[in-house]
Amino acid sequence: MKKILEFFKNTTVRIVSILLLILFLLSIFLFFDAYVRQVKKGVSFYWVYKGDRYYKQNKPQRAINCYKRALEYHPNHYKARYNLANIYVTYEDYYSALGEYSKALEIKPDFMIARIDYALVLSEATFNHDRAIEEYQNAIKNRPAWVYIPFFINNRKTYKYNSGIAYYNMGLAWRAKSLLVGENKFSAREYLYNAIESYQKALKTLKSYDIYYNLALANQLLRNNEEAGINYCKAIELAPLNYEAHYNLAILLRDMKLYRDSIEEFKKAGLILDIDGDSVKTRYIYDVLSEVTQKMVQQGDYKYLVEHIDEEGHKDGYNQAELTYVGGKLVVTDEFDRAVLKNFKTCSAKVHFKTLNEEN
């Protein structure tokens, strides 16, 4: 009896094994193309993995070769096309980059960061601002399905951040359009207002120096002086050692005949450039500063000038002894650096702009 049971038991195992083998071979026969596609896809992922490693190691040509190999096996690998496009941008092969971005977006239309980069190249490299603006709008409209896994993924947060980037770059494209219209002042103003609207939408999700600075610049071009001043001050508070905001604010204040505050901002811009060793720009700024000082003299504001000549080098908590030149560049002590940051974050005209804004 025992031998009979073992015979049937072994026979059953053999039969089941044979049936499974037949089914496996039959599935290969019936779904051969599907198996081949999956194998090719697996090989493609391997080459993308190698390409990513070379990309991170700053070996772009090897990365390109790997991504191309990956696409031979799986042409719809959108990440390979996206990374390939990014490398083409670094090589300034913009039309090849646009081609790869476009193919990646055909495969995955909601690939938001790829669409933003695509629009950026369209605007900055090929000056196709209209198409770029359209792509920025599409990036914002193509909202992905929300996925939230605590501590792992929250694509709602990522979408908000990327939409802020899209709005900011859209503002840059609108401003670039305004510069291209030439004598058509009406169109230029319309495009600048569109730029302002885009920057304001960007600020709903992002607070950055670049956004505030460009918002201020657009308002300055439109002669919205109070709005420009307020946003220059906000930019300065975020990045006090960027000379552009100080310089543009100084120009704005000069045009508004607020010479005292203008002089202070010119000095800050000049000192930042002096520390950076940019002697050409520094000399130009001090030339403009000299012109503003002469206008103050013409206004008869001698008291302010005399007071600040005596205080020069001793005001705002730092003095000339804390400065020294090394290799032709101005070098500062830690104490001086702290004092400069505190002073430079203070926008002397902020109260004035706030008052004007409240009056209006």
Side-chain angles (χ1 to χ4, degrees):
M1 186 69 179
K2 185 177 180 181
K3 290 183 178 180
I4 295 172
L5 290 173
E6 286 180 358
F7 172 79
F8 280 109
K9 182 179 179 181
N10 293 334
T11 302
T12 303
V13 171
R14 292 191 188 99
I15 292 171
V16 170
S17 298
I18 292 170
L19 287 173
L20 288 174
L21 178 61
I22 292 170
L23 288 173
F24 175 70
L25 294 173
L26 184 62
S27 69
I28 292 177
F29 176 77
L30 293 174
F31 304 105
F32 179 77
D33 291 340
Y35 276 111
V36 171
R37 283 197 298 272
Q38 290 304 315
V39 171
K40 286 184 175 181
K41 189 178 289 189
V43 175
S44 173
F45 274 78
Y46 166 75
W47 283 110
V48 170
Y49 165 75
K50 288 199 68 174
D52 289 346
R53 289 188 62 184
Y54 285 129
Y55 194 16
K56 291 176 181 178
Q57 294 170 5
N58 197 26
K59 297 177 180 178
Q61 191 55 57
R62 290 188 177 183
I64 287 174
N65 295 337
C66 289
Y67 292 136
K68 285 184 175 180
R69 288 290 297 275
L71 291 170
E72 289 175 5
Y73 288 98
H74 182 40
N76 288 338
H77 200 303
Y78 60 87
K79 184 184 175 184
R81 294 199 178 278
Y82 172 68
N83 286 349
L84 192 55
N86 290 338
I87 297 175
Y88 284 141
V89 170
T90 63
Y91 280 128
E92 298 184 2
D93 186 357
Y94 298 118
Y95 288 100
S96 294
L98 289 173
E100 294 301 331
Y101 284 134
S102 180
K103 290 174 184 176
L105 291 168
E106 287 176 9
I107 301 163
K108 187 174 175 60
D110 64 347
F111 195 178
M112 191 173 187
I113 192 63
R115 197 171 293 278
I116 291 172
D117 289 341
Y118 179 48
L120 188 61
V121 175
L122 283 169
S123 181
E124 299 294 326
T126 67
F127 308 106
N128 192 345
H129 304 302
D130 290 323
R131 179 71 186 283
I133 290 167
E134 182 182 344
E135 291 300 330
Y136 287 130
Q137 292 170 340
N138 289 335
I140 296 164
K141 289 177 183 176
N142 289 333
R143 184 178 299 178
W146 300 131
V147 178
Y148 175 65
I149 302 174
F151 308 109
F152 288 98
I153 185 171
N154 182 0
N155 69 345
R156 184 188 294 267
K157 186 176 181 180
T158 302
Y159 169 79
K160 287 183 177 180
Y161 175 82
N162 287 336
S163 65
I165 296 294
Y167 277 124
Y168 168 65
N169 285 317
M170 193 191 307
L172 295 179
W174 279 118
R175 194 189 76 188
K177 277 196 69 174
S178 74
L179 297 174
L180 293 176
V181 296
E183 298 298 323
N184 193 338
K185 293 183 179 180
F186 178 81
S187 294
R189 291 180 64 83
E190 181 185 3
Y191 296 152
L192 285 172
Y193 278 118
N194 289 340
I196 288 172
E197 183 182 2
S198 298
Y199 296 140
Q200 289 171 339
K201 288 179 178 178
L203 286 170
K204 291 180 180 179
T205 54
L206 298 176
K207 307 292 182 184
S208 77
Y209 167 87
D210 289 326
I211 300 174
Y212 280 120
Y213 172 79
N214 282 285
L215 177 57
L217 181 58
N219 276 296
Q220 186 175 9
L221 292 171
L222 288 167
R223 300 294 187 267
N224 298 332
N225 294 336
E226 290 76 24
E227 289 297 320
I230 289 170
N231 285 292
Y232 278 134
C233 287
K234 290 179 179 178
I236 287 168
E237 288 171 3
L238 290 175
L241 296 184
N242 284 359
Y243 89 92
E244 293 95 340
H246 291 289
Y247 174 75
N248 282 9
L249 178 57
I251 294 293
L252 176 68
L253 293 166
R254 182 199 65 182
D255 294 343
M256 296 175 69
K257 296 182 171 53
L258 300 173
Y259 298 125
R260 290 190 179 190
D261 291 325
S262 178
I263 286 173
E264 291 303 311
E265 295 302 327
F266 273 126
K267 287 179 180 178
K268 291 174 184 178
L271 183 57
I272 292 168
L273 288 172
D274 199 7
I275 292 171
D276 290 339
D278 194 332
S279 59
V280 176
K281 289 182 181 177
T282 304
R283 191 179 303 113
Y284 173 77
I285 285 178
Y286 283 117
D287 286 343
V288 180
L289 174 60
S290 177
E291 293 176 8
V292 176
T293 304
Q294 290 175 15
K295 290 182 179 181
M296 281 196 68
V297 171
Q298 292 171 4
Q299 273 193 341
D301 198 351
Y302 300 103
K303 183 179 178 181
Y304 174 83
L305 293 173
V306 171
E307 288 175 354
H308 281 68
I309 288 172
D310 292 337
E311 293 175 0
E312 201 65 44
H314 297 279
K315 66 189 285 290
D316 299 316
Y318 55 87
N319 56 63
Q320 193 65 30
E322 294 164 332
L323 301 176
T324 183
Y325 277 92
V326 176
K329 290 184 66 175
L330 194 65
V331 179
V332 299
T333 65
D334 291 339
E335 183 180 353
F336 178 85
D337 195 37
R338 288 192 295 271
V340 165
L341 280 173
K342 182 179 178 181
N343 177 45
F344 280 31
K345 280 185 179 180
T346 304
C347 186
S348 57
K350 187 175 183 179
V351 174
H352 174 76
F353 286 122
K354 185 178 180 182
T355 303
L356 284 179
N357 201 41
E358 289 173 353
E359 291 176 356
N360 293 333

